[in-house]
Amino acid sequence: MTGLDALYSVSFVLLVVFLTYTLLIVVPFVRRRPAPEGDVADFQWHAFIPCRDEAAVISATIIRMRERFPAVHLWVIDDASVDGTGDVIAAAANSDAFVHPVIRQLPDARTGKGDALNAAFADLEEWLGPDVDADRLIVMVVDADGELASDALRHVAGPRAFGDQRVGAAQVAVRMSNLADRNPLPGRGRVAQRWARYLIRMQDVEFRTTIAAMQTLRMRTVSVGLGGNGQFARLSALRAASVRAGAPWGNALLEDYEIGIRIMMAGYRTTYIHDTSVSQEALPTARRLLTQRTRWCQGGMQCARYLPQIYSSRSFTNAGALEAGYFLVLPYLQLLGIVVWPSVAIAVVVTGALAPGGVLSWALASAWVLPLWLATGILPFFVWPLIYAHQEGHRNPLAALGWGLGYWLYMYQTYVCVVRACGRMVARRNGWTKTRRNSESGRLLLAVES
Protein backbone atom coordinates (compact mmCIF):
# COMPACT_ATOMS: atom_id res chain seq x y z
CA MET A 1 0.00 0.00 0.00
CA THR A 2 1.37 3.41 -0.99
CA GLY A 3 1.31 6.45 1.26
CA LEU A 4 -1.53 7.89 -0.82
CA ASP A 5 -3.55 4.72 -0.43
CA ALA A 6 -3.03 4.84 3.33
CA LEU A 7 -4.16 8.47 3.41
CA TYR A 8 -7.35 7.66 1.50
CA SER A 9 -8.02 4.65 3.75
CA VAL A 10 -7.70 6.70 6.93
CA SER A 11 -9.95 9.43 5.53
CA PHE A 12 -12.53 6.81 4.51
CA VAL A 13 -12.59 5.27 7.99
CA LEU A 14 -12.94 8.69 9.66
CA LEU A 15 -15.76 9.61 7.29
CA VAL A 16 -17.66 6.36 7.83
CA VAL A 17 -17.37 6.67 11.61
CA PHE A 18 -18.60 10.27 11.54
CA LEU A 19 -21.54 9.57 9.23
CA THR A 20 -22.54 6.47 11.18
CA TYR A 21 -22.54 8.39 14.45
CA THR A 22 -24.55 11.23 12.88
CA LEU A 23 -27.18 8.77 11.68
CA LEU A 24 -27.28 7.06 15.07
CA ILE A 25 -28.05 10.31 16.88
CA VAL A 26 -30.49 11.76 14.34
CA VAL A 27 -32.92 8.84 14.25
CA PRO A 28 -33.64 8.46 18.00
CA PHE A 29 -33.88 12.22 18.39
CA VAL A 30 -36.59 12.77 15.78
CA ARG A 31 -38.48 9.70 17.06
CA ARG A 32 -38.40 10.58 20.76
CA ARG A 33 -41.64 10.75 22.78
CA PRO A 34 -42.62 12.99 25.72
CA ALA A 35 -41.91 11.65 29.20
CA PRO A 36 -44.54 11.60 31.99
CA GLU A 37 -44.16 13.87 35.01
CA GLY A 38 -43.81 12.88 38.69
CA ASP A 39 -44.63 14.21 42.16
CA VAL A 40 -42.18 16.86 43.36
CA ALA A 41 -43.23 16.21 46.97
CA ASP A 42 -41.70 12.73 46.81
CA PHE A 43 -38.23 14.27 47.11
CA GLN A 44 -36.20 16.84 49.00
CA TRP A 45 -34.47 19.39 46.78
CA HIS A 46 -31.21 21.28 47.15
CA ALA A 47 -29.54 23.50 44.54
CA PHE A 48 -25.81 24.24 44.28
CA ILE A 49 -25.12 27.59 42.57
CA PRO A 50 -21.38 28.20 42.05
CA CYS A 51 -20.39 31.86 41.85
CA ARG A 52 -17.09 33.42 40.93
CA ASP A 53 -17.49 37.16 40.37
CA GLU A 54 -21.20 36.89 39.58
CA ALA A 55 -22.52 40.11 41.17
CA ALA A 56 -24.10 41.05 37.83
CA VAL A 57 -26.50 38.08 37.80
CA ILE A 58 -26.67 36.21 41.12
CA SER A 59 -29.26 38.37 42.90
CA ALA A 60 -31.82 37.87 40.13
CA THR A 61 -31.09 34.12 40.06
CA ILE A 62 -31.62 33.73 43.83
CA ILE A 63 -34.88 35.69 43.70
CA ARG A 64 -36.13 33.71 40.69
CA MET A 65 -35.25 30.33 42.23
CA ARG A 66 -36.90 31.18 45.56
CA GLU A 67 -40.08 32.43 43.90
CA ARG A 68 -40.33 29.58 41.43
CA PHE A 69 -39.22 26.74 43.74
CA PRO A 70 -39.98 27.75 47.36
CA ALA A 71 -39.20 24.26 48.75
CA VAL A 72 -35.66 24.18 47.31
CA HIS A 73 -32.69 25.01 49.53
CA LEU A 74 -30.10 27.13 47.74
CA TRP A 75 -26.42 26.57 48.50
CA VAL A 76 -24.79 29.61 46.92
CA ILE A 77 -21.03 29.27 46.62
CA ASP A 78 -18.85 32.37 46.77
CA ASP A 79 -15.57 31.24 45.23
CA ALA A 80 -13.44 34.13 46.58
CA SER A 81 -15.21 36.68 44.40
CA VAL A 82 -13.79 40.20 44.22
CA ASP A 83 -16.79 42.02 42.75
CA GLY A 84 -19.19 42.05 45.70
CA THR A 85 -20.80 38.67 44.99
CA GLY A 86 -20.25 37.65 48.63
CA ASP A 87 -22.18 40.66 49.90
CA VAL A 88 -25.15 39.81 47.66
CA ILE A 89 -25.17 36.21 48.90
CA ALA A 90 -24.83 37.27 52.54
CA ALA A 91 -27.74 39.69 52.26
CA ALA A 92 -29.96 37.00 50.73
CA ALA A 93 -28.97 34.46 53.41
CA ASN A 94 -29.68 36.93 56.23
CA SER A 95 -33.26 37.36 55.07
CA ASP A 96 -34.04 33.80 53.96
CA ALA A 97 -33.31 30.58 55.86
CA PHE A 98 -33.44 28.60 52.59
CA VAL A 99 -30.37 30.42 51.25
CA HIS A 100 -27.11 28.95 52.54
CA PRO A 101 -23.82 30.74 51.81
CA VAL A 102 -20.80 28.56 51.06
CA ILE A 103 -17.71 30.70 51.53
CA ARG A 104 -14.40 29.79 49.90
CA GLN A 105 -11.30 31.85 50.57
CA LEU A 106 -7.86 32.06 49.06
CA PRO A 107 -5.49 30.27 48.81
CA ASP A 108 -7.95 27.33 48.74
CA ALA A 109 -10.46 29.03 46.41
CA ARG A 110 -10.64 29.73 42.66
CA THR A 111 -9.26 26.29 41.84
CA GLY A 112 -12.08 25.15 39.58
CA LYS A 113 -15.82 24.51 39.53
CA GLY A 114 -15.44 20.93 40.76
CA ASP A 115 -13.73 22.07 43.96
CA ALA A 116 -16.43 24.71 44.52
CA LEU A 117 -19.18 22.10 44.19
CA ASN A 118 -17.34 19.75 46.54
CA ALA A 119 -17.23 22.54 49.13
CA ALA A 120 -21.01 22.89 48.92
CA PHE A 121 -21.39 19.12 49.14
CA ALA A 122 -19.32 19.05 52.35
CA ASP A 123 -21.43 21.85 53.89
CA LEU A 124 -24.64 20.07 52.90
CA GLU A 125 -23.48 16.82 54.50
CA GLU A 126 -22.64 18.68 57.71
CA TRP A 127 -26.02 20.43 57.70
CA LEU A 128 -28.12 17.31 57.10
CA GLY A 129 -29.44 15.27 59.98
CA PRO A 130 -28.52 11.61 60.52
CA ASP A 131 -31.94 10.37 59.43
CA VAL A 132 -31.91 11.84 55.93
CA ASP A 133 -33.14 9.55 53.16
CA ALA A 134 -30.25 9.82 50.72
CA ASP A 135 -32.28 8.19 47.93
CA ARG A 136 -34.96 10.86 48.23
CA LEU A 137 -32.70 13.90 48.44
CA ILE A 138 -31.86 15.45 45.06
CA VAL A 139 -29.00 17.86 44.48
CA MET A 140 -29.14 20.06 41.40
CA VAL A 141 -26.44 22.28 39.90
CA VAL A 142 -27.57 25.57 38.38
CA ASP A 143 -25.32 28.24 36.88
CA ALA A 144 -25.26 31.67 38.46
CA ASP A 145 -27.20 32.95 35.43
CA GLY A 146 -29.27 29.78 35.05
CA GLU A 147 -33.06 29.88 34.74
CA LEU A 148 -34.70 26.55 35.46
CA ALA A 149 -38.07 26.01 33.78
CA SER A 150 -41.01 26.03 36.19
CA ASP A 151 -41.91 22.42 35.31
CA ALA A 152 -38.35 21.09 35.67
CA LEU A 153 -38.78 19.40 39.06
CA ARG A 154 -41.97 17.65 37.95
CA HIS A 155 -40.19 16.15 34.94
CA VAL A 156 -37.10 15.16 36.92
CA ALA A 157 -39.33 13.47 39.51
CA GLY A 158 -40.99 11.40 36.78
CA PRO A 159 -40.73 7.64 36.11
CA ARG A 160 -38.01 8.07 33.47
CA ALA A 161 -35.82 9.92 35.95
CA PHE A 162 -35.80 9.72 39.76
CA GLY A 163 -39.05 7.82 39.85
CA ASP A 164 -36.83 4.94 38.72
CA GLN A 165 -34.64 3.79 41.62
CA ARG A 166 -31.88 2.79 39.22
CA VAL A 167 -31.38 6.39 38.09
CA GLY A 168 -28.73 8.27 40.05
CA ALA A 169 -28.47 11.43 37.96
CA ALA A 170 -30.35 13.37 35.30
CA GLN A 171 -29.62 16.18 32.87
CA VAL A 172 -32.27 18.51 31.42
CA ALA A 173 -32.10 20.25 28.05
CA VAL A 174 -30.35 23.60 27.73
CA ARG A 175 -31.65 26.73 25.99
CA MET A 176 -30.07 30.12 25.31
CA SER A 177 -31.75 32.83 27.37
CA ASN A 178 -30.62 35.81 25.23
CA LEU A 179 -31.89 34.46 21.91
CA ALA A 180 -34.35 37.35 21.48
CA ASP A 181 -31.82 40.06 22.36
CA ARG A 182 -31.55 42.34 19.31
CA ASN A 183 -28.54 44.23 20.72
CA PRO A 184 -26.35 41.66 22.51
CA LEU A 185 -23.30 43.94 22.23
CA PRO A 186 -24.39 47.36 23.54
CA GLY A 187 -22.62 50.23 21.87
CA ARG A 188 -21.38 48.21 18.91
CA GLY A 189 -22.30 48.67 15.27
CA ARG A 190 -24.81 46.85 13.07
CA VAL A 191 -22.34 44.31 11.70
CA ALA A 192 -21.13 43.39 15.18
CA GLN A 193 -24.73 42.96 16.36
CA ARG A 194 -25.53 40.66 13.43
CA TRP A 195 -22.41 38.60 14.14
CA ALA A 196 -23.36 38.32 17.82
CA ARG A 197 -26.92 37.27 17.00
CA TYR A 198 -25.56 34.65 14.59
CA LEU A 199 -23.32 33.17 17.29
CA ILE A 200 -26.17 33.13 19.79
CA ARG A 201 -28.52 31.39 17.35
CA MET A 202 -25.90 28.78 16.46
CA GLN A 203 -25.33 27.98 20.13
CA ASP A 204 -29.07 27.48 20.61
CA VAL A 205 -29.18 25.20 17.55
CA GLU A 206 -26.23 23.26 18.93
CA PHE A 207 -27.74 22.68 22.37
CA ARG A 208 -31.31 22.13 21.21
CA THR A 209 -30.43 19.61 18.49
CA THR A 210 -26.91 18.20 18.17
CA ILE A 211 -26.13 17.93 21.89
CA ALA A 212 -29.71 16.90 22.69
CA ALA A 213 -29.53 14.20 20.00
CA MET A 214 -26.28 12.86 21.46
CA GLN A 215 -28.01 12.63 24.83
CA THR A 216 -31.02 10.91 23.30
CA LEU A 217 -28.77 8.23 21.84
CA ARG A 218 -27.10 7.89 25.23
CA MET A 219 -30.51 7.11 26.71
CA ARG A 220 -30.39 3.90 24.66
CA THR A 221 -26.74 3.13 25.36
CA VAL A 222 -27.20 3.99 29.08
CA SER A 223 -24.36 6.52 29.04
CA VAL A 224 -25.98 9.97 29.36
CA GLY A 225 -23.45 12.68 30.15
CA LEU A 226 -24.16 15.40 32.69
CA GLY A 227 -23.80 19.12 31.96
CA GLY A 228 -22.63 21.99 34.12
CA ASN A 229 -26.08 23.60 34.20
CA GLY A 230 -29.34 21.74 34.86
CA GLN A 231 -27.62 18.71 36.39
CA PHE A 232 -29.48 16.63 39.04
CA ALA A 233 -28.19 13.78 41.24
CA ARG A 234 -29.38 11.71 44.19
CA LEU A 235 -27.44 12.26 47.38
CA SER A 236 -26.89 8.50 47.55
CA ALA A 237 -25.33 8.55 44.06
CA LEU A 238 -23.07 11.46 44.98
CA ARG A 239 -21.95 9.59 48.08
CA ALA A 240 -21.25 6.48 46.02
CA ALA A 241 -19.27 8.56 43.52
CA SER A 242 -17.16 9.89 46.42
CA VAL A 243 -15.92 6.50 47.61
CA ARG A 244 -12.76 6.35 45.52
CA ALA A 245 -11.77 10.02 45.42
CA GLY A 246 -13.20 11.30 48.71
CA ALA A 247 -15.45 13.84 46.95
CA PRO A 248 -17.99 13.46 44.13
CA TRP A 249 -16.74 16.07 41.65
CA GLY A 250 -13.27 15.75 40.15
CA ASN A 251 -10.70 18.27 38.99
CA ALA A 252 -11.14 17.89 35.23
CA LEU A 253 -12.11 21.03 33.31
CA LEU A 254 -15.18 19.06 32.24
CA GLU A 255 -16.17 18.25 35.81
CA ASP A 256 -19.81 17.75 34.80
CA TYR A 257 -19.07 14.88 32.43
CA GLU A 258 -16.58 13.49 34.95
CA ILE A 259 -19.14 13.29 37.76
CA GLY A 260 -21.47 11.46 35.37
CA ILE A 261 -18.78 8.85 34.72
CA ARG A 262 -18.19 8.43 38.44
CA ILE A 263 -21.91 8.00 39.14
CA MET A 264 -22.25 5.39 36.39
CA MET A 265 -19.17 3.49 37.58
CA ALA A 266 -20.79 3.45 41.04
CA GLY A 267 -23.64 1.40 39.58
CA TYR A 268 -26.28 4.07 38.89
CA ARG A 269 -27.89 5.06 35.62
CA THR A 270 -27.98 8.57 34.20
CA THR A 271 -30.83 9.94 32.12
CA TYR A 272 -31.72 12.89 29.91
CA ILE A 273 -34.95 14.93 29.99
CA HIS A 274 -35.65 16.91 26.82
CA ASP A 275 -39.19 17.95 27.81
CA THR A 276 -38.00 20.63 30.22
CA SER A 277 -34.99 22.89 30.24
CA VAL A 278 -32.60 25.28 31.91
CA SER A 279 -31.64 28.54 30.22
CA GLN A 280 -28.24 30.21 30.15
CA GLU A 281 -26.58 33.06 28.31
CA ALA A 282 -25.09 32.34 24.91
CA LEU A 283 -21.76 34.02 24.21
CA PRO A 284 -21.94 36.86 21.65
CA THR A 285 -18.23 37.08 20.75
CA ALA A 286 -15.92 34.57 19.08
CA ARG A 287 -13.19 35.18 21.65
CA ARG A 288 -15.35 34.24 24.59
CA LEU A 289 -16.89 31.30 22.73
CA LEU A 290 -13.47 29.89 21.85
CA THR A 291 -12.32 30.33 25.45
CA GLN A 292 -15.31 28.37 26.74
CA ARG A 293 -15.11 25.61 24.14
CA THR A 294 -11.35 25.22 24.55
CA ARG A 295 -11.95 24.55 28.24
CA TRP A 296 -14.63 22.00 27.42
CA CYS A 297 -12.43 20.29 24.84
CA GLN A 298 -9.48 20.12 27.21
CA GLY A 299 -11.75 18.76 29.91
CA GLY A 300 -12.88 15.97 27.59
CA MET A 301 -9.27 15.12 26.79
CA GLN A 302 -8.55 14.96 30.52
CA CYS A 303 -11.50 12.61 31.07
CA ALA A 304 -10.03 10.16 28.55
CA ARG A 305 -8.03 8.78 31.48
CA TYR A 306 -11.25 7.06 32.59
CA LEU A 307 -11.39 4.86 29.47
CA PRO A 308 -9.65 1.83 31.07
CA GLN A 309 -12.06 1.99 34.02
CA ILE A 310 -15.07 2.42 31.73
CA TYR A 311 -14.16 -0.62 29.62
CA SER A 312 -13.46 -2.75 32.68
CA SER A 313 -16.56 -1.62 34.60
CA ARG A 314 -19.53 -3.96 34.84
CA SER A 315 -21.78 -0.92 35.31
CA PHE A 316 -21.36 0.19 31.69
CA THR A 317 -23.19 -1.59 28.90
CA ASN A 318 -21.12 -2.55 25.88
CA ALA A 319 -22.91 0.08 23.82
CA GLY A 320 -22.43 2.65 26.58
CA ALA A 321 -18.71 1.97 26.80
CA LEU A 322 -18.43 2.27 23.02
CA GLU A 323 -20.35 5.56 22.95
CA ALA A 324 -18.35 7.02 25.85
CA GLY A 325 -15.15 5.89 24.19
CA TYR A 326 -16.07 7.64 20.95
CA PHE A 327 -16.90 10.87 22.80
CA LEU A 328 -13.65 10.85 24.75
CA VAL A 329 -11.39 10.10 21.77
CA LEU A 330 -13.24 12.54 19.49
CA PRO A 331 -10.82 15.43 20.19
CA TYR A 332 -7.93 13.21 19.13
CA LEU A 333 -9.82 12.16 15.98
CA GLN A 334 -10.35 15.84 15.21
CA LEU A 335 -6.62 16.45 15.58
CA LEU A 336 -6.05 13.63 13.12
CA GLY A 337 -8.64 15.14 10.80
CA ILE A 338 -6.82 18.47 10.78
CA VAL A 339 -3.95 16.64 9.09
CA VAL A 340 -5.92 14.16 6.99
CA TRP A 341 -8.60 16.31 5.34
CA PRO A 342 -6.30 19.03 3.93
CA SER A 343 -3.88 16.31 2.82
CA VAL A 344 -6.67 14.51 0.95
CA ALA A 345 -7.71 17.77 -0.73
CA ILE A 346 -4.16 18.49 -1.82
CA ALA A 347 -3.71 14.93 -3.05
CA VAL A 348 -6.90 15.17 -5.13
CA VAL A 349 -5.83 18.44 -6.73
CA VAL A 350 -2.32 17.13 -7.50
CA THR A 351 -3.76 13.92 -8.94
CA GLY A 352 -6.01 15.97 -11.20
CA ALA A 353 -3.16 18.17 -12.35
CA LEU A 354 -1.08 15.14 -13.32
CA ALA A 355 -3.93 13.17 -14.90
CA PRO A 356 -3.73 12.32 -18.63
CA GLY A 357 -5.70 14.84 -20.67
CA GLY A 358 -5.19 17.68 -18.20
CA VAL A 359 -7.18 19.14 -15.34
CA LEU A 360 -10.36 19.77 -17.36
CA SER A 361 -10.60 16.16 -18.46
CA TRP A 362 -10.03 14.97 -14.91
CA ALA A 363 -12.62 17.43 -13.54
CA LEU A 364 -15.27 16.18 -15.97
CA ALA A 365 -14.51 12.57 -15.09
CA SER A 366 -14.60 13.38 -11.37
CA ALA A 367 -17.79 15.45 -11.31
CA TRP A 368 -19.22 13.05 -8.76
CA VAL A 369 -16.80 14.45 -6.13
CA LEU A 370 -18.82 17.65 -5.63
CA PRO A 371 -22.16 16.00 -4.72
CA LEU A 372 -20.28 13.53 -2.56
CA TRP A 373 -18.66 16.40 -0.68
CA LEU A 374 -22.01 18.14 -0.26
CA ALA A 375 -23.64 14.94 1.02
CA THR A 376 -20.87 13.97 3.43
CA GLY A 377 -19.19 17.25 4.32
CA ILE A 378 -22.06 19.73 4.58
CA LEU A 379 -25.38 17.85 4.91
CA PRO A 380 -24.53 16.20 8.29
CA PHE A 381 -24.26 19.72 9.75
CA PHE A 382 -26.90 21.36 7.57
CA VAL A 383 -29.64 18.98 8.76
CA TRP A 384 -29.59 20.15 12.39
CA PRO A 385 -30.93 23.69 11.81
CA LEU A 386 -33.70 22.20 9.64
CA ILE A 387 -34.70 19.95 12.54
CA TYR A 388 -34.35 22.92 14.89
CA ALA A 389 -36.62 25.12 12.77
CA HIS A 390 -39.31 22.43 12.70
CA GLN A 391 -38.94 21.67 16.41
CA GLU A 392 -39.11 25.33 17.50
CA GLY A 393 -41.96 26.23 15.14
CA HIS A 394 -40.04 28.56 12.83
CA ARG A 395 -41.93 28.95 9.54
CA ASN A 396 -39.38 30.85 7.44
CA PRO A 397 -37.70 28.30 5.12
CA LEU A 398 -35.09 30.83 3.92
CA ALA A 399 -34.01 31.49 7.51
CA ALA A 400 -33.72 27.74 8.13
CA LEU A 401 -31.56 27.33 5.01
CA GLY A 402 -29.39 30.24 6.14
CA TRP A 403 -29.00 28.68 9.58
CA GLY A 404 -28.01 25.41 7.90
CA LEU A 405 -25.16 27.04 6.02
CA GLY A 406 -24.21 29.08 9.07
CA TYR A 407 -24.15 26.04 11.32
CA TRP A 408 -21.82 24.18 8.95
CA LEU A 409 -19.39 27.10 9.13
CA TYR A 410 -19.91 27.52 12.88
CA MET A 411 -18.83 23.95 13.61
CA TYR A 412 -15.34 24.64 12.27
CA GLN A 413 -14.66 26.39 15.58
CA THR A 414 -14.24 22.91 17.06
CA TYR A 415 -10.99 22.49 15.13
CA VAL A 416 -9.62 25.76 16.50
CA CYS A 417 -10.58 24.72 20.01
CA VAL A 418 -9.03 21.25 19.80
CA VAL A 419 -5.71 22.73 18.68
CA ARG A 420 -5.78 25.23 21.54
CA ALA A 421 -6.77 22.52 24.01
CA CYS A 422 -3.96 20.27 22.81
CA GLY A 423 -1.50 23.14 23.21
CA ARG A 424 -2.67 23.71 26.76
CA MET A 425 -2.33 20.00 27.52
CA VAL A 426 1.22 19.93 26.17
CA ALA A 427 2.11 23.05 28.15
CA ARG A 428 0.42 21.56 31.24
CA ARG A 429 -1.84 24.57 31.59
CA ASN A 430 -4.81 23.17 33.50
CA GLY A 431 -6.18 26.33 35.07
CA TRP A 432 -9.92 27.01 34.99
CA THR A 433 -10.71 29.92 32.64
CA LYS A 434 -13.92 31.80 33.46
CA THR A 435 -15.87 33.60 30.77
CA ARG A 436 -17.43 36.89 31.83
CA ARG A 437 -21.19 37.45 31.76
CA ASN A 438 -22.81 39.48 29.01
CA SER A 439 -24.23 41.94 31.54
CA GLU A 440 -20.81 42.82 32.90
CA SER A 441 -19.27 46.00 31.56
CA GLY A 442 -16.10 47.96 32.02
CA ARG A 443 -14.16 44.90 33.01
CA LEU A 444 -11.61 42.56 31.44
CA LEU A 445 -13.07 40.04 28.99
CA LEU A 446 -11.51 37.12 30.80
CA ALA A 447 -10.37 36.22 34.27
CA VAL A 448 -7.71 33.57 33.72
CA GLU A 449 -5.93 31.24 36.06
CA SER A 450 -3.12 29.17 34.60
Side-chain angles (χ1 to χ4, degrees):
M1 177 182 292
T2 66
L4 192 58
D5 291 335
L7 177 65
Y8 288 152
S9 297
V10 171
S11 64
F12 177 77
V13 170
L14 289 177
L15 183 61
V16 168
V17 170
F18 168 67
L19 294 178
T20 300
Y21 185 75
T22 300
L23 183 63
L24 286 174
I25 64 177
V26 166
V27 174
F29 183 62
V30 298
R31 297 179 61 183
R32 71 190 185 282
R33 295 291 181 267
E37 298 179 355
D39 189 349
V40 176
D42 287 344
F43 303 92
Q44 301 177 48
W45 305 89
H46 294 258
F48 289 176
I49 308 176
C51 300
R52 177 174 151 184
D53 300 323
E54 301 285 10
V57 296
I58 188 55
S59 178
T61 299
I62 292 174
I63 292 171
R64 183 170 55 245
M65 286 288 292
R66 291 297 298 125
E67 290 178 348
R68 191 169 292 180
F69 308 107
V72 176
H73 286 266
L74 307 183
W75 297 80
V76 192
I77 310 157
D78 176 20
D79 198 18
S81 300
V82 296
D83 67 341
T85 296
D87 295 334
V88 176
I89 297 172
N94 287 336
S95 61
D96 190 338
F98 275 70
V99 178
H100 310 271
V102 180
I103 308 301
R104 304 191 74 219
Q105 297 179 336
L106 295 173
D108 299 322
R110 303 175 78 91
T111 56
K113 187 176 178 181
D115 289 343
L117 294 171
N118 285 332
F121 180 76
D123 282 9
L124 172 63
E125 289 280 52
E126 184 177 349
W127 180 84
L128 291 172
D131 298 327
V132 64
D133 185 347
D135 287 329
R136 294 291 178 181
L137 191 148
I138 309 300
V139 174
M140 69 187 83
V141 177
V142 179
D143 276 355
D145 69 329
E147 182 174 351
L148 203 60
S150 58
D151 63 352
L153 301 191
R154 298 198 303 272
H155 281 287
V156 174
R160 292 190 189 174
F162 294 113
D164 184 343
Q165 290 294 323
R166 298 171 298 176
V167 172
Q171 174 64 42
V172 301
V174 177
R175 292 179 176 271
M176 300 299 108
S177 60
N178 53 339
L179 194 61
D181 191 348
R182 303 304 299 170
N183 295 289
L185 293 175
R188 302 288 292 275
R190 184 176 298 179
V191 173
Q193 300 295 354
R194 286 182 176 274
W195 171 252
R197 291 197 298 269
Y198 158 74
L199 289 178
I200 291 170
R201 176 66 69 178
M202 294 302 99
Q203 290 168 72
D204 199 54
V205 172
E206 182 181 20
F207 275 95
R208 294 294 297 162
T209 59
T210 311
I211 294 176
M214 292 170 62
Q215 296 282 53
T216 304
L217 171 65
R218 291 167 176 171
M219 288 282 290
R220 300 193 176 194
T221 60
V222 198
S223 59
V224 170
L226 301 183
N229 190 22
Q231 166 192 148
F232 294 75
R234 293 186 197 270
L235 177 62
S236 55
L238 292 175
R239 285 175 174 176
S242 305
V243 171
R244 292 186 179 182
W249 284 274
N251 59 1
L253 295 178
L254 205 61
E255 87 295 324
D256 42 13
Y257 190 79
E258 184 177 22
I259 181 62
I261 291 175
R262 291 183 174 187
I263 287 174
M264 286 185 281
M265 288 196 302
Y268 288 89
R269 290 189 176 184
T270 54
T271 192
Y272 172 70
I273 307 295
H274 191 72
D275 304 304
T276 188
S277 64
V278 64
S279 297
Q280 64 189 42
E281 288 181 336
L283 301 177
T285 68
R287 180 181 179 182
R288 288 157 63 186
L289 178 66
L290 293 176
T291 297
Q292 180 194 69
R293 299 310 171 86
T294 298
R295 184 179 74 238
W296 292 0
C297 184
Q298 185 179 358
M301 296 171 82
Q302 291 172 335
C303 287
R305 67 179 184 267
Y306 284 97
L307 280 174
Q309 298 177 54
I310 290 173
Y311 280 102
S312 63
S313 173
R314 294 183 178 180
S315 299
F316 274 81
T317 65
N318 291 337
L322 186 63
E323 190 282 327
Y326 176 76
F327 175 76
L328 293 175
V329 303
L330 183 58
Y332 300 98
L333 293 178
Q334 289 177 316
L335 285 172
L336 180 60
I338 290 173
V339 176
V340 169
W341 300 122
S343 298
V344 169
I346 293 171
V348 169
V349 171
V350 171
T351 300
L354 298 177
V359 175
L360 180 59
S361 175
W362 171 84
L364 292 175
S366 306
W368 56 271
V369 172
L370 180 59
L372 177 65
W373 174 65
L374 292 174
T376 61
I378 296 180
L379 184 60
F381 302 103
F382 199 93
V383 68
W384 295 114
L386 302 182
I387 295 173
Y388 172 85
H390 174 75
Q391 173 180 270
E392 301 298 317
H394 293 282
R395 303 302 181 189
N396 187 339
L398 292 180
L401 292 174
W403 293 343
L405 180 61
Y407 192 63
W408 166 60
L409 296 172
Y410 166 82
M411 291 307 295
Y412 278 99
Q413 51 87 11
T414 61
Y415 289 100
V416 178
C417 294
V418 75
V419 171
R420 296 179 66 185
C422 183
R424 287 179 57 87
M425 292 280 284
V426 171
R428 298 185 179 180
R429 295 177 58 197
N430 299 314
W432 198 85
T433 306
K434 179 187 180 296
T435 312
R436 75 173 177 93
R437 299 297 178 194
N438 298 338
S439 53
E440 297 177 77
S441 61
R443 298 176 55 189
L444 294 176
L445 284 179
L446 303 174
V448 181
E449 285 186 1
S450 298

